[in-house]
Amino acid sequence: MQIYKVGGAVRDRLLGKPVTDIDWVVVGATSEEMLAKGFRPVGADFPVFLHPKSGEEYALARTERKSGRGYGGFTFHASPEVTLEEDLIRRDLTINAMAEDDQQNLTDPYHGRRDLEARLLRHVSPAFAEDPLRVLRVARFAARYAALGFTVAPETMALMRQLSESGELQALTAERSWKEISRALMEDQPQVFIEVLRACDALKVLMPEVDALFGVPQPEAHHPEIDTGLHTLSVLEQSALHKQPLTVRWACLLHDLGKGLTPEEDWPRHIAHEHKGLKLIKAVNERFKAPKDCQELALLVGEYHTHGHRALELKPSTLLELLQSFDVYRRPQRFEEFIAACEMDARGRKGLEQRNYPQADYLRGAATAARSVAVQPLLEKGFKGPELGEAIKRERLKALKAYKEAASV
Ligand code: CTP
């Protein structure tokens, strides 16, 4: 049997990027031989094995045939006769379809190296269409390598468009899609992921609520970029520049969905878009089974981001309601993430990227003031049950009034 390094490890070494995990392909072997060497099978009828010591993935060279719709619709044909070239041709991109032996000799039948140099994401063959998840993968690679100047080859974009139009994307499982989306959002230029999905018409299939924001105007005074879709891309871009966590990036992407529902005759104003957007945010959250912390933050940011921007004008009672809604006493981190998302929203506007956001410290100070109310003295005064709750609220309100006065706003 011959063993080759394949995929991302070869690509990233040639790009001079750090290689994190290595995938191997094994030519000329049977499953029985792999098992006899101590490799552990990954799944019952999947020709992939884990190395007994390193835990790295070793896949038998295989050809793939499509047998139906969706992820379940694959049959694998792995046999010792399958050649390296046959294995490589069914992979997604030419830059991912190179192999290397232990002497670092490159096998590159589909010119991945040439495309690396030309900074092109190009599909290897029509077999690309066997897995519609690749539409998301290409968009993710575009986001990752945008800074290096990579773009999607026009013929690959055309194929991605065909896949989007075929209805195949709907057959993807939430888990597989979310894995790509969450990884893409954590790249340095996550906005490119959305741009590429939009360019190939996948966005209107995967997230029609986000797609609908393009072409929707906002008031120029607050939004010099005017277009709500462009604003959303900028907010996402800011979230990456500021190294925000996934929860914040997800909330940034979804914060303005309500603006897509405004009747045209009301443009460019979007009255109550925060509240109207909640059902859309919920739908997107559920479609991809986003983790609970992402879901929660996206809904809270959707509902309260305008409160964040108006923090300095809010009455103490409204500030208190905001802090209560966030359960800031038990969940201080979540409130920090809310503040971060509001700040990204404020900066994700044309020409305003460097603006100050005094609301952030003001909100932090308000949370500290409300949190500083001690419960013990109230217990000592004999308050209990709902009365205790009311008394705590009254004291917090007092603290917030004093805070607002001291800040003289
Ligand atoms: N691959 C593919 N189609 C997919 C998934 C994977 O063709 N839907 C192939 C590609 O050749 C890819 C390799 O399997 O390079 C390994 O896949 P994976 O580990 O998911 O990705 P990497 O290319 O290693 O990229 P990353 O750095 O994002 O992990």
Side-chain angles (χ1 to χ4, degrees):
M1 67 173 80
Q2 300 112 44
I3 298 180
Y4 302 88
K5 221 179 252 182
V6 276
V10 181
R11 177 197 70 220
D12 287 339
R13 187 185 71 74
L14 291 173
L15 279 174
K17 296 255 165 196
V19 172
T20 41
D21 49 36
I22 304 181
D23 292 310
W24 305 86
V25 65
V26 185
V27 179
T30 61
S31 293
E32 292 69 30
E33 284 169 294
M34 297 299 283
L35 295 173
K37 283 187 183 290
F39 282 86
R40 286 173 285 126
V42 163
D45 36 45
F46 206 66
V48 179
F49 299 84
L50 299 179
H51 190 278
K53 291 218 179 79
S54 71
E56 286 168 354
E57 278 193 10
Y58 286 68
L60 295 185
R62 62 190 196 239
T63 54
E64 237 157 58
R65 270 196 328 276
K66 184 103 178 129
S67 63
R69 243 171 128 91
Y71 191 41
F74 283 123
T75 52
F76 293 101
H77 170 68
S79 93
E81 284 78 47
V82 175
T83 65
L84 184 57
E85 286 73 11
E86 284 170 337
D87 177 278
L88 295 175
I89 201 169
R90 57 140 195 101
R91 291 174 182 263
D92 53 3
L93 295 172
T94 58
I95 63 165
N96 288 340
M98 297 181 275
E100 207 172 69
D101 65 14
D102 55 4
Q103 309 292 312
Q104 289 198 346
N105 293 313
L106 197 66
T107 302
D108 181 19
Y110 310 109
H111 309 296
R113 192 166 197 166
R114 190 183 65 195
D115 285 343
L116 268 186
E117 278 155 19
R119 304 303 200 219
L120 273 180
L121 303 171
R122 191 202 307 270
H123 67 287
V124 182
S125 76
F128 180 92
E130 286 173 4
D131 183 4
L133 189 74
R134 289 169 170 172
V135 172
L136 283 82
R137 278 176 63 88
V138 174
R140 172 166 67 79
F141 284 119
R144 183 189 295 175
Y145 298 128
L148 296 178
F150 275 82
T151 55
V152 182
E155 64 270 31
T156 302
M157 195 58 106
L159 187 54
M160 287 160 70
R161 188 166 300 118
Q162 265 178 34
L163 275 168
S164 305
E165 283 162 7
S166 71
E168 282 275 320
L169 295 179
Q170 274 107 323
L172 291 171
T173 62
E175 290 75 12
R176 290 188 88 207
S177 299
W178 176 255
K179 208 167 157 213
E180 289 302 323
I181 293 166
S182 55
R183 290 185 73 188
L185 290 179
M186 291 314 290
E187 295 292 354
D188 283 347
Q189 302 209 36
Q191 76 282 6
V192 173
F193 175 69
I194 302 296
E195 282 168 343
V196 170
L197 291 181
R198 180 161 178 258
C200 70
D201 292 336
L203 192 61
K204 67 172 175 243
V205 180
L206 297 167
M207 299 186 202
E209 302 85 350
V210 176
D211 192 63
L213 301 178
F214 290 86
V216 173
Q218 309 162 99
E220 196 174 354
H222 297 296
H223 285 281
E225 72 289 345
I226 300 180
D227 188 275
T228 312
L230 296 184
H231 164 59
T232 300
L233 294 179
S234 300
V235 178
L236 206 48
E237 184 179 3
Q238 288 298 318
S239 75
L241 283 171
H242 290 268
K243 306 270 177 249
Q244 300 295 353
L246 178 62
T247 43
V248 174
R249 297 185 190 204
W250 182 241
C252 285
L253 177 64
L254 306 185
H255 77 286
D256 263 348
L257 292 189
K259 290 183 179 170
L261 294 176
T262 310
E264 264 185 63
E265 56 270 23
D266 294 345
W267 287 356
R269 301 218 301 151
H270 298 280
I271 298 156
H273 74 274
E274 301 86 350
H275 187 73
K276 286 188 205 155
L278 293 180
K279 61 175 188 285
L280 303 186
I281 297 174
K282 189 162 177 278
V284 182
N285 271 337
E286 288 173 1
R287 183 172 319 135
F288 298 109
K289 298 191 185 150
K292 196 162 167 260
D293 55 350
C294 287
Q295 296 209 15
E296 260 179 25
L297 190 72
L299 286 165
L300 286 164
V301 170
E303 186 164 4
Y304 294 112
H305 59 275
T306 312
H307 277 63
H309 301 327
R310 296 223 182 104
L312 280 75
E313 299 133 51
L314 296 180
K315 290 185 293 188
S317 57
T318 315
L319 259 180
L320 180 62
E321 277 167 33
L322 180 71
L323 298 172
Q324 304 281 101
S325 304
F326 275 85
D327 193 10
V328 77
Y329 320 100
R330 280 185 295 181
R331 306 278 304 269
Q333 184 56 31
R334 187 172 64 176
F335 193 59
E336 268 304 318
E337 292 180 357
F338 164 71
I339 295 173
C342 291
E343 185 165 351
M344 300 305 104
D345 178 22
R347 290 172 184 258
R349 304 173 192 218
K350 201 167 159 223
L352 298 172
E353 295 82 358
Q354 308 298 331
R355 81 202 295 192
N356 283 331
Y357 195 68
Q359 292 91 328
D361 276 342
Y362 183 76
L363 286 168
R364 279 185 199 111
T368 307
R371 225 183 284 128
S372 67
V373 168
V375 178
Q376 194 56 34
L378 299 171
L379 286 170
E380 282 163 15
K381 279 189 191 159
F383 287 111
K384 28 180 190 300
E387 282 180 6
L388 176 64
E390 284 308 310
I392 295 173
K393 256 175 116 171
R394 269 199 307 279
E395 291 303 314
R396 283 176 179 158
L397 189 57
K398 254 195 244 167
L400 286 172
K401 279 183 181 152
Y403 172 72
K404 193 172 161 72
E405 263 164 45
S408 57
V409 289

